[in-house]
Amino acid sequence: TIALTMRSPGPDTGIHAIAVLPIENLSGDPTNQYIVDGIKNVLARRLSESPGLVIKNTRVRYVAEPSQIAERLDVDTVLSGAVQLQESKLKITYLISRGADNVTIGSGEVDGDLQRIFSLQERLATEVLHDLIGTPVPDATAAYTPDPAAYNHYMRGMYALEHRGEADNLENAIRLFQESIRLDEKFGPAYLSLATAYALMPYYRNLPVQETDRAAIQIVEKGIAVDNHIADAASAIYGSAYHQEKRWSAAEAAYRRAISARPVDSTAFNWYSRMLNSVGRLDDALLQALAGEAIDPDNGVINSRVAIVYTWLGESEKAHEFFRRAEDLGGSGPMHLLAYA
C-alpha cells in the first residue's frame, strides 16, 4: 500500500496540445516552398477542427529534442514532417513525438501525383488524426474539392499573403486569389483570403479604408453565397469594417463569431484585440492578443500586437520582450515601429 501510494505518477499520455513544426523541403528547390508551407498550414487547420485539440502552428525551425520544443511551446506533442517532390510525384512523411519522453507515437506517409495535392492533404490529415486520437476518426474530408489549377494559385497566394511584408507580395496575393476564383468560382477559401488581403491594404499600402473595406465585404459575400462554410471565419472581415465605422457593438459581435470559428486564424484575434484597444478595454485586448499568440506563436504580427497592448498597459519589460520577438520573426510596419519607439 505504501509503495503504491508513494510512487510518482506516470506521465500523462493524453494528447491535448500539439505543435505543428515547419515541414522540411527535401526537393532543395525554394520555388516549391509554397507547396511545403501550404501542406503544413492545411494540416494545422484540419487538426484544429478536432474538438479538444489545441494546435500551435509554428514557423521557427527549432534545433532541439521534441521534449525541449514541447516545453518551450507548452504542448504535450510535437509533429514534424518532410515533403519530397520529384517532377510530378509528391511524398509527404510525418512523425509524431511525445513531449514527455521523446517517444514516437505515430508516423506515416502519403504519396501521389502533385495534381491531386488537395486529396493528398485530406489523407494526411486523416492519418495524423488517427494516430493522435485513434478511432473513430472525425471526418477530415473537405466539403468541396477545388479545381487543381485553382488550388495551386490559392496555395501560391497564401504563401505571398504570409510574406506580405516583402515587396509586392500583397499585390501578388490578390492577383493569385483572383485567378483562383476565375478558375473555380465555387472555391470559398479563395474569396475569404482575397477579402483579407484587401482589408490589409490600408495598413500596408496606405489605401483608403472605406474603399478597401467595401471591396472586401463584396468579395466575402460572394464567397459565402457559393460556400457557406466560410461564413464564421468571414465575420472578421465584417468586424474590421464595423471597427472603422466605430460601430463597436456590431464589430465585437462579428469578432466573437470569428474567433469561435473552426478553424480560426490568428488574424481574427489580432483584429479583435486592435478594436478592444480602440475603446480602452486594454485587459481584454491583451487576452485576445495572447489567445492569438497561443495558436500562432511564431507570427511576427501577432507578437507585435501583444507588445503594443503591453505598451498601453505600461508593462514595458513585457512589451520589450514581445517587440524583440516580433522583430526576430519578421514583424515590421509603422505601427510596430512607432509603438516600440
Side-chain angles (χ1 to χ4, degrees):
T1 301
I2 293 173
L4 288 172
T5 56
M6 295 296 289
R7 70 181 181 182
S8 300
D12 180 8
T13 57
I15 297 174
H16 311 290
I18 181 168
V20 180
L21 303 182
I23 293 177
E24 189 176 357
N25 181 1
L26 296 181
S27 71
D29 186 351
T31 60
N32 293 331
Q33 193 60 42
Y34 79 94
I35 297 173
V36 179
D37 288 359
I39 290 170
K40 177 183 73 79
N41 292 332
V42 168
L43 177 59
R45 286 198 296 272
R46 279 280 177 263
L47 295 179
S48 71
E49 293 173 1
S50 180
L53 274 183
V54 175
I55 307 301
K56 297 196 175 186
N57 188 13
T58 71
R59 292 170 172 79
V60 172
R61 297 188 181 278
Y62 297 97
V63 183
E65 292 293 324
S67 57
Q68 296 171 307
I69 299 173
E71 182 178 4
R72 178 168 182 171
L73 297 176
D74 191 26
V75 296
D76 48 55
T77 316
V78 174
L79 187 150
S80 57
V83 170
Q84 189 171 4
L85 178 61
Q86 292 183 337
E87 296 179 350
S88 64
K89 300 300 180 183
L90 185 67
K91 182 168 75 171
I92 311 167
T93 59
Y94 69 90
L95 182 72
I96 306 171
S97 303
R98 193 162 59 208
D101 50 17
N102 295 321
V103 170
T104 298
I105 59 175
S107 64
E109 68 176 54
V110 297
D111 57 70
D113 193 273
L114 179 61
Q115 289 296 314
R116 302 188 63 192
I117 185 173
F118 188 83
S119 61
L120 288 176
Q121 289 174 327
E122 298 302 316
R123 283 171 48 200
L124 176 66
T126 299
E127 292 196 14
V128 171
L129 276 171
H130 179 272
D131 285 344
L132 287 172
I133 63 177
T135 54
V137 176
D139 184 11
T141 304
Y144 176 75
T145 300
D147 173 84
Y151 190 64
N152 184 272
H153 280 81
Y154 170 74
M155 292 182 70
R156 290 168 58 197
M158 290 301 293
Y159 185 81
L161 188 61
E162 284 279 328
H163 298 82
R164 56 185 174 268
E166 301 173 14
D168 299 327
N169 265 5
L170 196 51
E171 289 82 359
N172 287 338
I174 288 175
R175 177 179 57 80
L176 289 162
F177 292 139
Q178 288 173 334
E179 182 64 12
S180 178
I181 292 169
R182 187 189 70 79
L183 292 167
D184 189 340
E185 295 181 350
K186 296 181 179 180
F187 186 41
Y191 291 90
L192 177 58
S193 298
L194 177 59
T196 300
Y198 268 100
L200 290 168
M201 289 296 279
Y203 307 101
Y204 287 85
R205 300 295 184 267
N206 201 31
L207 294 183
V209 174
Q210 292 81 3
E211 179 182 323
T212 54
D213 279 352
R214 184 164 56 249
I217 288 177
Q218 289 174 351
I219 292 164
V220 86
E221 285 180 346
K222 290 180 182 177
I224 293 172
V226 298
D227 183 2
N228 192 54
H229 291 88
I230 69 170
D232 288 342
S235 294
I237 301 296
Y238 291 96
S240 179
Y242 297 152
H243 175 185
Q244 295 301 328
E245 296 169 1
K246 296 182 172 58
R247 296 168 59 186
W248 309 116
S249 297
E252 179 157 29
Y255 282 134
R256 295 299 299 178
R257 182 180 179 186
I259 65 173
S260 300
R262 277 289 190 179
V264 62
D265 189 276
S266 62
T267 299
F269 291 101
N270 181 27
W271 291 357
Y272 186 18
S273 174
R274 187 178 64 198
M275 188 221 79
L276 292 168
N277 258 355
S278 298
V279 296
R281 291 167 55 186
L282 301 183
D283 291 330
D284 291 338
L286 179 62
L287 289 176
Q288 296 305 322
L290 289 173
E293 189 268 341
I295 64 170
D296 202 354
D298 300 330
N299 186 319
V301 174
I302 194 66
N303 275 274
S304 179
R305 169 55 46 192
V306 174
I308 290 170
V309 183
Y310 273 129
T311 300
W312 291 123
L313 286 168
E315 298 189 35
S316 298
E317 290 185 10
K318 295 293 291 184
H320 181 63
E321 173 191 342
F322 278 92
F323 275 126
R324 289 289 298 273
R325 186 185 301 177
E327 293 195 343
D328 289 343
L329 295 168
S332 60
M335 187 181 299
H336 169 86
L337 294 172
L338 286 170
Y340 198 7

